[in-house]
Amino acid sequence: MELELDGVEVAFDHTAVAAPRIRDLLPIYHDLLGGRHLGGGGDNLPAGYRTLQLTYANGSKIELMEPLAGSTFFDSFFELTRGRGGVHHLNFHVSDIDAAVAEMTARGYRLHGLNLSDPRWREVFLHPKEAHGVLIQLAQVGPRPDGPRATLEEVLAGNGRTGNGVPSP
């Protein structure tokens, strides 16, 4: 289903779930519910987290996230969830991130985390206070390189995209 934000195409892409350990999420989202690893995933070293995505028969996706060792990225989130984690954000892909940011700013929405530095993934977040407690990520996806994508085992071993080589706990 496609929506519009005054001429900007918007499409829901995935729900992200964060926990202290991705391995604790796999028995539910992979084994029980049948999520299949999309291939790829890895580490965001500057922010301090590891991520991978699972897909389901109807094409829907779940992103699983965990902090890297020593990272404070999820500290406030885990504090709110009493250390358990849970749904972290909803992701929507947009056709033009610049136009989406301009439109939301013009409408008075508070945005944060604007990052336009990576042409493969340009993003901004709608603050949870603006969306009834839900963190909403808007991203414009750019070209992806061809070639093999990391396996689930490689990502968990710390050898996904930009992996730090440290296995997931």
Side-chain angles (χ1 to χ4, degrees), residues 129-146:
K129 290 180 180 176
E130 299 289 348
H132 304 278
V134 178
L135 179 62
I136 296 177
Q137 177 187 47
L138 300 176
Q140 181 179 343
V141 180
R144 303 289 187 176
D146 291 331

Side-chain angles (χ1 to χ4, degrees), residues 22 24 39 80 108 117 135 164-166 168-169:
I22 286 175
D24 293 336
L80 287 171
S117 64
L135 179 62
N164 66 5
V166 176
S168 290

Side-chain angles (χ1 to χ4, degrees), residues 146-159:
D146 291 331
R149 295 172 55 108
T151 66
L152 177 62
E153 293 75 22
E154 289 171 328
V155 174
L156 294 175
N159 297 317

Side-chain angles (χ1 to χ4, degrees), residues 11-139:
F12 177 74
D13 188 70
H14 66 267
T15 300
V17 177
R21 296 170 17 111
I22 286 175
R23 292 179 195 277
D24 293 336
L25 299 170
L26 290 173
I28 298 167
Y29 295 101
H30 182 270
D31 302 341
L32 178 67
L33 299 174
R36 182 179 50 82
H37 180 235
L38 275 172
D43 298 356
N44 183 323
L45 297 173
Y49 63 84
R50 177 167 291 154
T51 183
L52 61 91
Q53 287 191 356
L54 302 176
T55 187
Y56 297 88
N58 67 354
S60 60
K61 294 184 281 187
I62 292 258
E63 179 178 39
L64 305 181
M65 305 176 76
E66 71 182 10
L68 295 173
S71 170
T72 59
F73 182 79
F74 289 114
D75 284 2
S76 61
F77 176 71
F78 289 150
E79 191 175 307
L80 287 171
T81 64
R82 298 187 177 113
R84 293 183 307 265
V87 173
H88 184 262
H89 67 269
L90 302 179
N91 171 271
F92 292 83
H93 287 183
V94 296
S95 58
D96 183 341
I97 192 77
D98 298 314
V101 167
E103 180 61 31
M104 289 188 302
T105 301
R107 292 185 188 192
Y109 287 106
R110 286 182 283 179
L111 306 175
H112 67 98
L114 178 64
N115 184 347
L116 305 176
S117 64
D118 183 354
R120 293 170 15 105
W121 187 263
R122 301 172 72 214
E123 68 183 1
V124 68
F125 292 87
L126 182 60
H127 197 282
K129 290 180 180 176
E130 299 289 348
H132 304 278
V134 178
L135 179 62
I136 296 177
Q137 177 187 47
L138 300 176

